[in-house]
């Protein structure tokens, strides 16, 4: 049995919120995009349908309890819950984490992954997350381009944020590594680094060994070698290396006419090679189940094709062996329930529990 823990990333975008209703229409959740997906090429499995048509609502405790029960049964060691904190006044998609905090009987370790960026309209050239491109295409190009503004803020704001998170950090289920609080951060900046240092002091004052803040790896962001990092997969291995991504940034205004396809086998082989060749003892590795963001982006999306549970099991087993050899305590897996990006372990009508069974076997070694 592998000693390496598998943490599956967890999307909370499956409950009605004031923000969703305002930006994309009453009742919008990621299920809306998933249900409206269409097949774009021969053999394209869209729309994806949850097994037994279980389009759950994450504002309900029974939905989260069901998720936790099957996750634990098949070997998921914890959830990395996406955290949407924009500034001291604005946050959203908090309900699932609140339910976990208030229901101690739900036996699922968890930590937060802070997606620290503004939310913007798809057509805006401002940096940030364009959450629902297909829904945006039906909105007139007027009004604010930035939907919610992300601001790093000052020490006062950092303290407000930390105090908000502290009840979660103190929960016995919240993941700590050597009594350091695990906290992922997607977008690095010098201001964020100062915030992390400030938080580290607050964590120690509250009885922890400090913060283990892990940044999404990007060679262009100047992340210090001393910082913890993780390679988000399949993005890093799937869409090419550093120069390929740089070229796409330069030519990003060129209109993409067809969905971009990538080989499941090739992406995983790149991922395994990168992990084998990495000698940074502060780099954690990512893995993925599958990927297809056409429910959100249509023909402007990307998809990894020809994947299956057998290949997933084969390569995940290899990655866990590499991690064990290099003494990496955990892997970040994309994802538990990213249905809008085709990255999910949850059972669907076609594969049912096959990917979960593959995960369980891979961990047994």
């Amino acid at each position: 049995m592998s000693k390496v823990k598998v943490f599956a990333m967890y999307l909370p975008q499956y409950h009605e919120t004031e923000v969703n209703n305002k930006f994309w229409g009453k009742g919008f959740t990621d299920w809306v995009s998933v249900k409206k997906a269409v097949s774009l090429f021969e053999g394209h499995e869209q729309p994806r349908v949850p097994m037994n048509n279980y389009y759950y609502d994450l504002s309900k405790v029974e939905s989260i309890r069901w998720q936790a029960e099957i996750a634990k049964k098949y070997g998921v060691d914890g959830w990395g819950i996406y955290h949407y904190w924009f500034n001291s006044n604005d946050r959203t998609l908090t309900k699932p984490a609140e339910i976990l905090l208030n229901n101690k009987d739900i036996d699922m370790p968890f930590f937060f992954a802070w997606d620290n960026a503004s939310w913007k309209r798809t057509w805006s050239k401002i940096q940030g997350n364009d959450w629902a491109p297909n829904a945006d295409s039906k909105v007139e190009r007027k009004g604010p381009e930035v939907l919610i503004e992300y601001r790093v803020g000052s020490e006062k704001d950092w303290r407000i944020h930390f105090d908000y998170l502290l009840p979660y950090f103190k929960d016995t289920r919240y993941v700590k590594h050597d009594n350091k609080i695990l906290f992922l951060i997607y977008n690095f900046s010098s201001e964020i680094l100062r915030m992390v240092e400030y938080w580290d002091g607050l964590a120690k004052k509250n009885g922890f060994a400090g913060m283990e803040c892990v940044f999404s790896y990007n060679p262009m962001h100047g992340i210090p070698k001393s910082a913890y990092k993780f390679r988000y997969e399949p993005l890093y291995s799937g869409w090419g290396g550093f120069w390929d991504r740089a070229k796409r940034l330069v030519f990003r205004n060129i209109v993409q006419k067809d969905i971009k396809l990538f080989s499941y086998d090739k992406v995983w082989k790149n991922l395994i090679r990168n992990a084998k060749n990495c000698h940074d003892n502060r780099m954690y590795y990512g893995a993925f189940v599958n990927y297809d963001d056409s429910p959100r982006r249509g023909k402007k999306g990307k998809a990894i094709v020809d994947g299956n549970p057998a290949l997933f099991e084969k390569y995940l087993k290899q990655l866990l062996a590499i991690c064990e050899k290099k003494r990496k305590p955990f892997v970040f897996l994309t994802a538990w329930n990213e249905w809008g990006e085709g990255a999910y372990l949850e059972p669907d009508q076609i594969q049912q529990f096959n990917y979960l069974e593959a995960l369980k076997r891979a961990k047994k070694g």
Side-chain angles (χ1 to χ4, degrees):
M1 177 70 72
S2 175
K3 297 178 182 178
V4 180
K5 293 183 177 180
V6 175
F7 294 145
M9 306 312 293
Y10 182 101
L11 182 69
Q13 177 61 292
Y14 300 96
H15 65 287
E16 187 173 345
T17 69
E18 184 179 335
V19 166
N20 284 340
N21 290 341
K22 178 181 178 182
F23 297 151
W24 298 295
K26 176 68 175 175
F28 180 88
T29 73
D30 219 31
W31 287 132
V32 173
S33 301
V34 171
K35 290 177 180 180
K36 290 183 177 180
V38 296
S39 179
L40 298 175
F41 54 89
E42 186 176 353
H44 190 200
E45 293 178 5
Q46 289 291 355
R48 304 290 181 92
V49 180
M51 192 169 74
N52 300 324
N53 290 287
Y54 186 31
Y55 294 98
Y56 49 70
D57 179 349
L58 292 186
S59 68
K60 297 180 178 179
V61 64
E62 57 266 28
S63 300
I64 296 171
R65 187 171 281 117
W66 171 82
Q67 290 178 313
E69 286 173 357
I70 64 170
K72 290 286 287 186
K73 179 179 178 180
Y74 288 97
V76 175
D77 295 292
W79 286 331
I81 302 174
Y82 291 116
H83 176 60
Y84 297 97
W85 178 283
F86 302 93
N87 53 68
S88 294
N89 298 313
D90 295 305
R91 71 202 69 140
T92 192
L93 300 174
T94 58
K95 190 67 176 177
E98 291 167 0
I99 289 173
L100 262 181
L101 183 66
N102 294 324
N103 291 270
K104 308 296 185 186
D105 62 304
I106 299 178
D107 183 19
M108 177 51 61
F110 67 95
F111 60 92
F112 285 120
W114 185 21
D115 196 353
N116 54 325
S118 296
W119 279 10
K120 68 182 184 71
R121 290 297 186 193
T122 303
W123 58 80
S124 171
K125 294 181 181 178
I126 298 166
Q127 284 202 337
N129 288 336
D130 49 345
W131 232 105
N134 284 350
D136 262 354
S137 66
K138 298 174 177 61
V139 178
E140 290 186 42
R141 296 195 176 199
K142 61 182 181 180
E145 294 185 6
V146 175
L147 301 174
I148 312 179
E149 183 183 5
Y150 159 68
R151 298 190 299 272
V152 178
S154 61
E155 281 193 11
K156 178 182 177 182
D157 301 294
W158 304 342
R159 183 61 186 254
I160 292 170
H161 193 180
F162 184 88
D163 287 346
Y164 169 84
L165 291 168
L166 188 56
Y168 294 95
F169 293 160
K170 288 183 174 180
D171 193 291
T172 56
R173 296 165 298 173
Y174 195 96
V175 178
K176 289 91 177 177
H177 182 217
D178 295 333
N179 199 32
K180 288 186 176 182
I181 298 164
L182 182 64
F183 192 80
L184 269 59
I185 301 177
Y186 276 85
N187 295 297
F188 176 83
S189 69
S190 56
E191 293 87 355
I192 284 291
L193 190 60
R194 289 197 293 272
M195 186 207 78
V196 166
E197 291 169 350
Y198 179 72
W199 275 18
D200 194 66
L202 293 178
K204 289 173 180 175
K205 287 179 181 178
N206 281 277
F208 302 102
M211 298 292 302
E212 186 162 318
C213 290
V214 185
F215 296 102
S216 177
Y217 176 68
N218 187 322
M220 298 178 70
H221 286 176
I223 302 172
K225 290 184 178 180
S226 59
Y228 288 97
K229 302 165 284 292
F230 74 101
R231 290 168 74 132
Y232 171 71
E233 306 292 355
L235 187 63
Y236 192 89
S237 293
W239 315 151
F242 167 72
W243 290 114
D244 287 336
R245 294 196 305 281
K247 283 187 287 185
R248 278 193 294 278
L249 284 174
V250 172
F251 297 109
R252 64 184 172 185
N253 291 326
I254 296 176
V255 177
Q256 181 179 318
K257 296 181 179 180
D258 293 297
I259 186 170
K260 300 296 184 184
L261 305 181
F262 300 83
S263 161
Y264 191 89
D265 192 63
K266 183 176 179 181
V267 173
W268 259 109
K269 284 179 178 176
N270 287 341
L271 190 161
I272 295 296
R273 184 178 63 252
N274 289 337
K276 284 181 177 178
N277 294 337
C278 179
H279 302 292
D280 186 343
N281 62 6
R282 295 210 163 193
M283 179 74 78
Y284 294 119
Y285 306 139
F288 73 101
V289 184
N290 236 311
Y291 194 91
D292 177 359
D293 64 8
S294 63
R296 292 184 191 155
R297 300 184 179 278
K299 288 186 178 181
K300 294 183 180 180
K302 302 178 182 71
I304 295 177
V305 296
D306 297 328
N308 58 62
L311 283 176
F312 172 65
E313 178 184 345
K314 169 187 171 182
Y315 287 121
L316 181 60
K317 184 177 179 181
Q318 290 180 26
L319 183 63
L320 293 176
I322 293 167
C323 288
E324 195 145 0
K325 183 177 180 179
K326 294 190 175 188
R327 298 183 180 179
K328 307 288 183 181
F330 33 72
V331 161
F332 301 117
L333 177 65
T334 304
W336 173 254
N337 63 338
E338 280 267 20
W339 288 81
E341 292 187 348
Y344 56 87
L345 279 169
E346 290 179 328
D348 67 15
Q349 281 195 345
I350 295 175
Q351 292 295 342
Q352 301 187 18
F353 288 91
N354 289 338
Y355 276 98
L356 284 164
E357 292 281 6
L359 168 64
K360 191 174 183 178
R361 289 192 298 269
K363 287 192 67 181
K364 284 184 178 178

